[in-house]
Amino acid sequence: MALNVVVCVKQIPDPADPGALDADFTLKRDVKLILDESDSYGVEMALQLVDTAGGGEVTLVSMAPNGEVSGLRTALAMGAAKGVLVSDDALAGSGARETAKTLAAAIGKAGEYDLVISGVESSDGYTGVLPQMLAAQLGHPMVSFAKSVEVADGKVKVSRQTETGSQDVEAPTPCVVSVTAGVVEPRYPSFKGIMAAKSKPVDTLALGDLGIDGGNVGWAGAGQEITAVEDAPARQAGEIVEDDGEGFQKIVAKLEELKVI
Amino acid sequence: MALSKVWVFAETDENGSLTTLSKELLTKARDLGDTVEAFYAGDGNDIAESAGAFGATAVHATGPIEGQLLGAPVGAALAAAAEGVDLVLGGTSYDARDAFAVASVKLDKPVISNTTAIDLDGDAVVTTVPVFGGEKLVKTKFTAGGPMLCLVRPKSYEASESGGGAASVSSVDVPGDAPSATVLATHVEEREGPQLDSAPIVVSGGRGLGDPAKFEEYIEALGKKLGAATGATRAIVDAGWVPYNKQVGQTGKVVKPDVYIAAGISGATQHLVGMKGSKNIIAINKDPEAPIFSVADLGIVGDVHKVLPALIEALNAKG
Ligand SMILES: Cc1cc2nc3c(=O)[nH]c(=O)nc-3n(C[C@H](O)[C@H](O)[C@H](O)COP(=O)(O)OP(=O)(O)OC[C@H]3O[C@@H](n4cnc5c(N)ncnc54)[C@H](O)[C@@H]3O)c2cc1C
Ligand SMILES: Cc1cc2nc3c(=O)[nH]c(=O)nc-3n(C[C@H](O)[C@H](O)[C@H](O)COP(=O)(O)OP(=O)(O)OC[C@H]3O[C@@H](n4cnc5c(N)ncnc54)[C@H](O)[C@@H]3O)c2cc1C
């Protein structure tokens, strides 16, 4: 049985670099972008599911500025077959809802699929609402916070993380599943994979190709406006001491001072 | 100028009690709106009194949603019922995120997520969202009119009762056509001892502990000694040392205890957003450059394998 999976991958500025904001207060994104680690789990999960099914392929979908494909290449090197990128200046300033609209339209161009996988939340924007919006746009059932996913007989079975434990959830395909970080071990791209990724197809689309009006996305369509960015009140500098074997006494003294012992 | 009507997406815990987060939101809603009401995915009578005590005059309830994930049906019900509501506040909980996302699409209105403060500027609603691990605060204004959908992080406000009586209960329709996912079984993990969200002291451990046995030996032992809840970083939750319900941070719990002890924790931004609101922070890390020291009131640059056993012994000696 073949299984076709679409994986949403966000390409983000390297979180290891100090973050910076543009003059319009949005995250500076005209730097080299990388595959969001949060999405490497979705890519791995999809590759494993296709493997288990014994056929089918993984298609990536991403929205990013300046025709950026570095993060997509990483996921292609892991084993995804092809990518769809939406890049358009009119998308700048988009919120989660506009991004979901755009990705839904792009998924419509990705061919037949059984399952759409995403991360639970991205590392930079972390609104944690995009996958559910995407499902609502597509009219598909949605299972969020998946820890494990199985596909059989036109259904997905998910063990879903909850605040108090977990749930066993089932939904008919096609559906959208968001996977939590750490549930699978993302593979490192092999040298062969990296070479092969260079010639895998990435379809780059603009809003016009998707029939989306620029006035409904980006700053124009966001329905929210960033008015200011302020420094958070800094914590007062504390006392930092090198342990000379008696460091624990400092902690005891602090706990006594705070009257907790 | 206050808004005329503010709704709170009320939630209950595994015992059926209104969550602290819902109480915090109801408390804040009283500042923002002339009328405060609750929306509840369950039997409204179950929370009429508790929501009333925190200022809600009405509970709009869907009735129990059985055998289905809440997001799609409840999000659609919320969208259909929220006409004329200026602002809907929810927590950044799993169910609220699922439901608000669906309501957002149905209403074609944005969601502002991870808010830690909500203020009125004239009749505009301005939210505060921390970025870069809480170093910067972004102010975002809703510009598309109501219903404005806003998800608020736990412990952004302190809950206080209004002295209000029981809220009236009315039922809202759940559209039957939502594409739904079936819940086959629900598992509740046992929670014992002091709880992370409420304990006055929290002791947390990270990868610097070296191996899972040390979590038991140091962190649990210290926790027991201090009557503290124990927490962890995602690194050791992902590694399977401790269950997810101990995770502190962006994707875990937000804690604000009087004392937070961080042992072998680097202080990644995603961890800091979950604990930097603690009143006093004590950190132990062998790396003097570890970012955790930037938020510590007392930092010990040292080896957890030396400092913690000595600390536990000293506390034991004090009885
Ligand atoms: C600090 C910060 C705060 C923000 N706050 C808000 C806010 O409150 N409300 C709002 O509407 N917008 C907000 N935004 C903008 C929002 O992050 C972007 O619009 C983003 O494209 C989508 O949301 P997300 O990354 O938060 O999605 P999340 O819901 O956190 O992401 C979950 C998953 O969705 C998929 N995904 C997300 N974006 C893309 C993409 N571009 N391409 C492919 N897959 C993707 C990935 O699989 C990801 O793991 C914020 C941005 C920043 C930097
Ligand atoms: C989208 C997203 C969400 C995330 N959410 C969370 C979250 O909710 N919570 C969270 O915690 N993380 C979260 N993370 C992960 C986070 O970025 C860090 O990877 C994680 O917090 C690191 O955990 P750690 O401090 O235990 O490990 P490390 O960063 O590896 O740090 C270990 C520390 O221990 C010190 N050390 C080593 N040996 C010793 C010793 N013998 N004695 C003393 N010190 C020692 C080291 O100097 C080091 O500073 C998230 C990441 C992403 C991308």
Side-chain angles (χ1 to χ4, degrees), chain B residues 174-205:
Chain B
V174 181
D177 58 353
S180 75
T182 310
V183 176
L184 302 173
T186 298
H187 312 280
V188 177
E189 273 168 13
E190 248 173 90
R191 302 197 294 171
E192 26 178 75
Q195 296 303 309
L196 269 179
D197 3 42
S198 55
I201 309 176
V202 172
V203 183
S204 288

PDB file of all heavy atoms in Angstrom, chain B residues 174-205:
ATOM      1  N   VAL B 174     -23.549  22.859  18.982  1.00  0.00           N
ATOM      2  CA  VAL B 174     -22.316  22.343  18.403  1.00  0.00           C
ATOM      3  C   VAL B 174     -22.640  21.903  16.977  1.00  0.00           C
ATOM      4  O   VAL B 174     -23.405  20.964  16.786  1.00  0.00           O
ATOM      5  CB  VAL B 174     -21.785  21.139  19.206  1.00  0.00           C
ATOM      6  CG1 VAL B 174     -20.481  20.634  18.599  1.00  0.00           C
ATOM      7  CG2 VAL B 174     -21.583  21.520  20.657  1.00  0.00           C
ATOM      8  N   PRO B 175     -22.081  22.618  15.980  1.00  0.00           N
ATOM      9  CA  PRO B 175     -22.362  22.226  14.602  1.00  0.00           C
ATOM     10  C   PRO B 175     -21.977  20.756  14.394  1.00  0.00           C
ATOM     11  O   PRO B 175     -20.925  20.326  14.866  1.00  0.00           O
ATOM     12  CB  PRO B 175     -21.467  23.145  13.769  1.00  0.00           C
ATOM     13  CG  PRO B 175     -21.148  24.299  14.674  1.00  0.00           C
ATOM     14  CD  PRO B 175     -21.171  23.767  16.069  1.00  0.00           C
ATOM     15  N   GLY B 176     -22.830  20.002  13.734  1.00  0.00           N
ATOM     16  CA  GLY B 176     -22.597  18.570  13.612  1.00  0.00           C
ATOM     17  C   GLY B 176     -21.663  18.186  12.489  1.00  0.00           C
ATOM     18  O   GLY B 176     -21.268  17.029  12.372  1.00  0.00           O
ATOM     19  N   ASP B 177     -21.262  19.180  11.669  1.00  0.00           N
ATOM     20  CA  ASP B 177     -20.529  18.820  10.455  1.00  0.00           C
ATOM     21  C   ASP B 177     -19.017  18.977  10.581  1.00  0.00           C
ATOM     22  O   ASP B 177     -18.295  18.877   9.605  1.00  0.00           O
ATOM     23  CB  ASP B 177     -21.041  19.669   9.285  1.00  0.00           C
ATOM     24  CG  ASP B 177     -20.901  21.163   9.571  1.00  0.00           C
ATOM     25  OD1 ASP B 177     -20.547  21.516  10.717  1.00  0.00           O
ATOM     26  OD2 ASP B 177     -21.144  21.963   8.648  1.00  0.00           O
ATOM     27  N   ALA B 178     -18.528  19.228  11.813  1.00  0.00           N
ATOM     28  CA  ALA B 178     -17.079  19.411  11.966  1.00  0.00           C
ATOM     29  C   ALA B 178     -16.365  18.091  11.701  1.00  0.00           C
ATOM     30  O   ALA B 178     -16.768  17.059  12.219  1.00  0.00           O
ATOM     31  CB  ALA B 178     -16.768  19.923  13.367  1.00  0.00           C
ATOM     32  N   PRO B 179     -15.295  18.120  10.878  1.00  0.00           N
ATOM     33  CA  PRO B 179     -14.546  16.884  10.644  1.00  0.00           C
ATOM     34  C   PRO B 179     -13.866  16.479  11.944  1.00  0.00           C
ATOM     35  O   PRO B 179     -13.100  17.256  12.503  1.00  0.00           O
ATOM     36  CB  PRO B 179     -13.495  17.272   9.604  1.00  0.00           C
ATOM     37  CG  PRO B 179     -13.399  18.759   9.660  1.00  0.00           C
ATOM     38  CD  PRO B 179     -14.679  19.281  10.229  1.00  0.00           C
ATOM     39  N   SER B 180     -14.187  15.305  12.452  1.00  0.00           N
ATOM     40  CA  SER B 180     -13.728  15.059  13.809  1.00  0.00           C
ATOM     41  C   SER B 180     -12.817  13.850  13.920  1.00  0.00           C
ATOM     42  O   SER B 180     -12.772  12.983  13.051  1.00  0.00           O
ATOM     43  CB  SER B 180     -14.916  14.895  14.745  1.00  0.00           C
ATOM     44  OG  SER B 180     -15.489  13.641  14.530  1.00  0.00           O
ATOM     45  N   ALA B 181     -12.069  13.826  15.003  1.00  0.00           N
ATOM     46  CA  ALA B 181     -11.189  12.716  15.325  1.00  0.00           C
ATOM     47  C   ALA B 181     -11.765  12.025  16.551  1.00  0.00           C
ATOM     48  O   ALA B 181     -12.234  12.673  17.477  1.00  0.00           O
ATOM     49  CB  ALA B 181      -9.786  13.241  15.597  1.00  0.00           C
ATOM     50  N   THR B 182     -11.735  10.698  16.529  1.00  0.00           N
ATOM     51  CA  THR B 182     -12.360   9.914  17.589  1.00  0.00           C
ATOM     52  C   THR B 182     -11.377   9.614  18.712  1.00  0.00           C
ATOM     53  O   THR B 182     -10.258   9.166  18.459  1.00  0.00           O
ATOM     54  CB  THR B 182     -12.829   8.566  16.996  1.00  0.00           C
ATOM     55  OG1 THR B 182     -13.581   8.851  15.811  1.00  0.00           O
ATOM     56  CG2 THR B 182     -13.703   7.801  17.978  1.00  0.00           C
ATOM     57  N   VAL B 183     -11.807   9.872  19.945  1.00  0.00           N
ATOM     58  CA  VAL B 183     -10.967   9.520  21.091  1.00  0.00           C
ATOM     59  C   VAL B 183     -11.348   8.116  21.546  1.00  0.00           C
ATOM     60  O   VAL B 183     -12.486   7.870  21.951  1.00  0.00           O
ATOM     61  CB  VAL B 183     -11.144  10.517  22.251  1.00  0.00           C
ATOM     62  CG1 VAL B 183     -10.323  10.074  23.461  1.00  0.00           C
ATOM     63  CG2 VAL B 183     -10.735  11.918  21.815  1.00  0.00           C
ATOM     64  N   LEU B 184     -10.411   7.174  21.445  1.00  0.00           N
ATOM     65  CA  LEU B 184     -10.704   5.784  21.798  1.00  0.00           C
ATOM     66  C   LEU B 184     -10.475   5.526  23.283  1.00  0.00           C
ATOM     67  O   LEU B 184     -11.165   4.727  23.896  1.00  0.00           O
ATOM     68  CB  LEU B 184      -9.809   4.846  20.977  1.00  0.00           C
ATOM     69  CG  LEU B 184      -9.929   4.976  19.454  1.00  0.00           C
ATOM     70  CD1 LEU B 184      -8.869   4.127  18.766  1.00  0.00           C
ATOM     71  CD2 LEU B 184     -11.322   4.574  18.990  1.00  0.00           C
ATOM     72  N   ALA B 185      -9.473   6.201  23.845  1.00  0.00           N
ATOM     73  CA  ALA B 185      -9.167   5.980  25.266  1.00  0.00           C
ATOM     74  C   ALA B 185      -8.396   7.169  25.808  1.00  0.00           C
ATOM     75  O   ALA B 185      -7.694   7.851  25.062  1.00  0.00           O
ATOM     76  CB  ALA B 185      -8.330   4.710  25.437  1.00  0.00           C
ATOM     77  N   THR B 186      -8.570   7.427  27.092  1.00  0.00           N
ATOM     78  CA  THR B 186      -7.865   8.526  27.752  1.00  0.00           C
ATOM     79  C   THR B 186      -7.076   7.967  28.923  1.00  0.00           C
ATOM     80  O   THR B 186      -7.611   7.187  29.714  1.00  0.00           O
ATOM     81  CB  THR B 186      -8.881   9.574  28.244  1.00  0.00           C
ATOM     82  OG1 THR B 186      -9.564  10.095  27.094  1.00  0.00           O
ATOM     83  CG2 THR B 186      -8.197  10.731  28.966  1.00  0.00           C
ATOM     84  N   HIS B 187      -5.808   8.316  29.004  1.00  0.00           N
ATOM     85  CA  HIS B 187      -4.963   7.827  30.097  1.00  0.00           C
ATOM     86  C   HIS B 187      -4.521   9.003  30.951  1.00  0.00           C
ATOM     87  O   HIS B 187      -4.010   9.984  30.423  1.00  0.00           O
ATOM     88  CB  HIS B 187      -3.720   7.127  29.544  1.00  0.00           C
ATOM     89  CG  HIS B 187      -4.031   6.139  28.453  1.00  0.00           C
ATOM     90  ND1 HIS B 187      -4.500   4.876  28.721  1.00  0.00           N
ATOM     91  CD2 HIS B 187      -3.990   6.247  27.111  1.00  0.00           C
ATOM     92  CE1 HIS B 187      -4.704   4.239  27.569  1.00  0.00           C
ATOM     93  NE2 HIS B 187      -4.404   5.057  26.582  1.00  0.00           N
ATOM     94  N   VAL B 188      -4.745   8.911  32.239  1.00  0.00           N
ATOM     95  CA  VAL B 188      -4.312   9.973  33.143  1.00  0.00           C
ATOM     96  C   VAL B 188      -3.094   9.491  33.918  1.00  0.00           C
ATOM     97  O   VAL B 188      -3.122   8.441  34.539  1.00  0.00           O
ATOM     98  CB  VAL B 188      -5.454  10.374  34.100  1.00  0.00           C
ATOM     99  CG1 VAL B 188      -4.982  11.437  35.088  1.00  0.00           C
ATOM    100  CG2 VAL B 188      -6.644  10.888  33.296  1.00  0.00           C
ATOM    101  N   GLU B 189      -2.003  10.273  33.803  1.00  0.00           N
ATOM    102  CA  GLU B 189      -0.784   9.906  34.535  1.00  0.00           C
ATOM    103  C   GLU B 189      -0.951  10.283  35.991  1.00  0.00           C
ATOM    104  O   GLU B 189      -1.474  11.339  36.318  1.00  0.00           O
ATOM    105  CB  GLU B 189       0.419  10.685  33.984  1.00  0.00           C
ATOM    106  CG  GLU B 189       1.099  10.014  32.819  1.00  0.00           C
ATOM    107  CD  GLU B 189       2.088  10.951  32.127  1.00  0.00           C
ATOM    108  OE1 GLU B 189       2.426  12.004  32.687  1.00  0.00           O
ATOM    109  OE2 GLU B 189       2.492  10.612  31.005  1.00  0.00           O
ATOM    110  N   GLU B 190      -0.463   9.405  36.840  1.00  0.00           N
ATOM    111  CA  GLU B 190      -0.568   9.721  38.251  1.00  0.00           C
ATOM    112  C   GLU B 190       0.322  10.884  38.630  1.00  0.00           C
ATOM    113  O   GLU B 190       1.445  10.983  38.172  1.00  0.00           O
ATOM    114  CB  GLU B 190      -0.208   8.487  39.069  1.00  0.00           C
ATOM    115  CG  GLU B 190      -1.459   8.093  39.689  1.00  0.00           C
ATOM    116  CD  GLU B 190      -1.555   6.861  40.430  1.00  0.00           C
ATOM    117  OE1 GLU B 190      -1.302   6.938  41.617  1.00  0.00           O
ATOM    118  OE2 GLU B 190      -1.948   5.887  39.788  1.00  0.00           O
ATOM    119  N   ARG B 191      -0.219  11.796  39.422  1.00  0.00           N
ATOM    120  CA  ARG B 191       0.604  12.907  39.905  1.00  0.00           C
ATOM    121  C   ARG B 191       0.599  12.843  41.415  1.00  0.00           C
ATOM    122  O   ARG B 191      -0.445  12.799  42.045  1.00  0.00           O
ATOM    123  CB  ARG B 191       0.009  14.248  39.476  1.00  0.00           C
ATOM    124  CG  ARG B 191      -0.145  14.411  37.986  1.00  0.00           C
ATOM    125  CD  ARG B 191      -0.341  15.855  37.622  1.00  0.00           C
ATOM    126  NE  ARG B 191      -1.600  16.410  38.124  1.00  0.00           N
ATOM    127  CZ  ARG B 191      -1.897  17.705  38.073  1.00  0.00           C
ATOM    128  NH1 ARG B 191      -1.030  18.564  37.604  1.00  0.00           N
ATOM    129  NH2 ARG B 191      -3.060  18.134  38.524  1.00  0.00           N
ATOM    130  N   GLU B 192       1.757  12.801  41.999  1.00  0.00           N
ATOM    131  CA  GLU B 192       1.771  12.781  43.449  1.00  0.00           C
ATOM    132  C   GLU B 192       2.718  13.851  43.972  1.00  0.00           C
ATOM    133  O   GLU B 192       3.557  14.362  43.252  1.00  0.00           O
ATOM    134  CB  GLU B 192       2.153  11.394  43.960  1.00  0.00           C
ATOM    135  CG  GLU B 192       3.004  10.612  42.970  1.00  0.00           C
ATOM    136  CD  GLU B 192       3.430   9.269  43.484  1.00  0.00           C
ATOM    137  OE1 GLU B 192       2.569   8.354  43.511  1.00  0.00           O
ATOM    138  OE2 GLU B 192       4.598   9.158  43.858  1.00  0.00           O
ATOM    139  N   GLY B 193       2.563  14.192  45.244  1.00  0.00           N
ATOM    140  CA  GLY B 193       3.441  15.179  45.868  1.00  0.00           C
ATOM    141  C   GLY B 193       3.128  16.586  45.404  1.00  0.00           C
ATOM    142  O   GLY B 193       2.136  16.809  44.712  1.00  0.00           O
ATOM    143  N   PRO B 194       3.970  17.558  45.757  1.00  0.00           N
ATOM    144  CA  PRO B 194       3.735  18.944  45.389  1.00  0.00           C
ATOM    145  C   PRO B 194       3.690  19.103  43.862  1.00  0.00           C
ATOM    146  O   PRO B 194       4.454  18.441  43.152  1.00  0.00           O
ATOM    147  CB  PRO B 194       4.948  19.681  45.969  1.00  0.00           C
ATOM    148  CG  PRO B 194       5.526  18.772  46.995  1.00  0.00           C
ATOM    149  CD  PRO B 194       5.185  17.379  46.567  1.00  0.00           C
ATOM    150  N   GLN B 195       2.790  19.935  43.371  1.00  0.00           N
ATOM    151  CA  GLN B 195       2.610  20.109  41.935  1.00  0.00           C
ATOM    152  C   GLN B 195       3.392  21.312  41.420  1.00  0.00           C
ATOM    153  O   GLN B 195       3.465  22.348  42.078  1.00  0.00           O
ATOM    154  CB  GLN B 195       1.126  20.277  41.613  1.00  0.00           C
ATOM    155  CG  GLN B 195       0.293  19.045  41.931  1.00  0.00           C
ATOM    156  CD  GLN B 195       0.795  17.816  41.203  1.00  0.00           C
ATOM    157  OE1 GLN B 195       0.986  17.860  39.992  1.00  0.00           O
ATOM    158  NE2 GLN B 195       1.047  16.738  41.926  1.00  0.00           N
ATOM    159  N   LEU B 196       3.948  21.144  40.218  1.00  0.00           N
ATOM    160  CA  LEU B 196       4.782  22.194  39.636  1.00  0.00           C
ATOM    161  C   LEU B 196       4.092  23.546  39.577  1.00  0.00           C
ATOM    162  O   LEU B 196       4.697  24.566  39.873  1.00  0.00           O
ATOM    163  CB  LEU B 196       5.188  21.795  38.218  1.00  0.00           C
ATOM    164  CG  LEU B 196       6.491  21.033  38.036  1.00  0.00           C
ATOM    165  CD1 LEU B 196       6.692  20.729  36.567  1.00  0.00           C
ATOM    166  CD2 LEU B 196       7.664  21.830  38.562  1.00  0.00           C
ATOM    167  N   ASP B 197       2.823  23.558  39.166  1.00  0.00           N
ATOM    168  CA  ASP B 197       2.187  24.866  38.960  1.00  0.00           C
ATOM    169  C   ASP B 197       1.881  25.601  40.253  1.00  0.00           C
ATOM    170  O   ASP B 197       1.610  26.785  40.225  1.00  0.00           O
ATOM    171  CB  ASP B 197       0.914  24.799  38.098  1.00  0.00           C
ATOM    172  CG  ASP B 197       0.526  23.411  37.686  1.00  0.00           C
ATOM    173  OD1 ASP B 197       0.609  22.501  38.545  1.00  0.00           O
ATOM    174  OD2 ASP B 197       0.149  23.243  36.515  1.00  0.00           O
ATOM    175  N   SER B 198       1.918  24.907  41.388  1.00  0.00           N
ATOM    176  CA  SER B 198       1.515  25.597  42.607  1.00  0.00           C
ATOM    177  C   SER B 198       2.545  25.554  43.735  1.00  0.00           C
ATOM    178  O   SER B 198       2.432  26.305  44.697  1.00  0.00           O
ATOM    179  CB  SER B 198       0.191  25.004  43.091  1.00  0.00           C
ATOM    180  OG  SER B 198       0.327  23.613  43.250  1.00  0.00           O
ATOM    181  N   ALA B 199       3.566  24.695  43.647  1.00  0.00           N
ATOM    182  CA  ALA B 199       4.504  24.548  44.771  1.00  0.00           C
ATOM    183  C   ALA B 199       5.326  25.819  44.971  1.00  0.00           C
ATOM    184  O   ALA B 199       5.740  26.450  44.001  1.00  0.00           O
ATOM    185  CB  ALA B 199       5.434  23.367  44.515  1.00  0.00           C
ATOM    186  N   PRO B 200       5.576  26.217  46.229  1.00  0.00           N
ATOM    187  CA  PRO B 200       6.386  27.414  46.486  1.00  0.00           C
ATOM    188  C   PRO B 200       7.876  27.204  46.197  1.00  0.00           C
ATOM    189  O   PRO B 200       8.613  28.165  46.053  1.00  0.00           O
ATOM    190  CB  PRO B 200       6.160  27.701  47.970  1.00  0.00           C
ATOM    191  CG  PRO B 200       5.637  26.436  48.554  1.00  0.00           C
ATOM    192  CD  PRO B 200       4.993  25.662  47.456  1.00  0.00           C
ATOM    193  N   ILE B 201       8.305  25.958  46.126  1.00  0.00           N
ATOM    194  CA  ILE B 201       9.702  25.680  45.779  1.00  0.00           C
ATOM    195  C   ILE B 201       9.727  24.650  44.651  1.00  0.00           C
ATOM    196  O   ILE B 201       8.967  23.679  44.676  1.00  0.00           O
ATOM    197  CB  ILE B 201      10.498  25.094  46.978  1.00  0.00           C
ATOM    198  CG1 ILE B 201      10.299  25.971  48.222  1.00  0.00           C
ATOM    199  CG2 ILE B 201      11.982  24.970  46.647  1.00  0.00           C
ATOM    200  CD1 ILE B 201      10.972  25.411  49.461  1.00  0.00           C
ATOM    201  N   VAL B 202      10.589  24.880  43.671  1.00  0.00           N
ATOM    202  CA  VAL B 202      10.752  23.923  42.578  1.00  0.00           C
ATOM    203  C   VAL B 202      12.236  23.609  42.425  1.00  0.00           C
ATOM    204  O   VAL B 202      13.068  24.520  42.402  1.00  0.00           O
ATOM    205  CB  VAL B 202      10.191  24.484  41.246  1.00  0.00           C
ATOM    206  CG1 VAL B 202      10.549  23.566  40.075  1.00  0.00           C
ATOM    207  CG2 VAL B 202       8.684  24.678  41.331  1.00  0.00           C
ATOM    208  N   VAL B 203      12.553  22.322  42.371  1.00  0.00           N
ATOM    209  CA  VAL B 203      13.928  21.890  42.110  1.00  0.00           C
ATOM    210  C   VAL B 203      13.941  21.198  40.744  1.00  0.00           C
ATOM    211  O   VAL B 203      13.207  20.231  40.537  1.00  0.00           O
ATOM    212  CB  VAL B 203      14.416  20.878  43.177  1.00  0.00           C
ATOM    213  CG1 VAL B 203      15.881  20.515  42.919  1.00  0.00           C
ATOM    214  CG2 VAL B 203      14.253  21.440  44.583  1.00  0.00           C
ATOM    215  N   SER B 204      14.748  21.716  39.819  1.00  0.00           N
ATOM    216  CA  SER B 204      14.779  21.135  38.478  1.00  0.00           C
ATOM    217  C   SER B 204      16.170  20.670  38.099  1.00  0.00           C
ATOM    218  O   SER B 204      17.164  21.261  38.513  1.00  0.00           O
ATOM    219  CB  SER B 204      14.321  22.165  37.439  1.00  0.00           C
ATOM    220  OG  SER B 204      12.946  22.387  37.525  1.00  0.00           O
ATOM    221  N   GLY B 205      16.188  19.649  37.270  1.00  0.00           N
ATOM    222  CA  GLY B 205      17.462  19.124  36.796  1.00  0.00           C
ATOM    223  C   GLY B 205      17.522  19.095  35.284  1.00  0.00           C
ATOM    224  O   GLY B 205      16.488  19.039  34.614  1.00  0.00           O
TER     225      GLY B 205
END
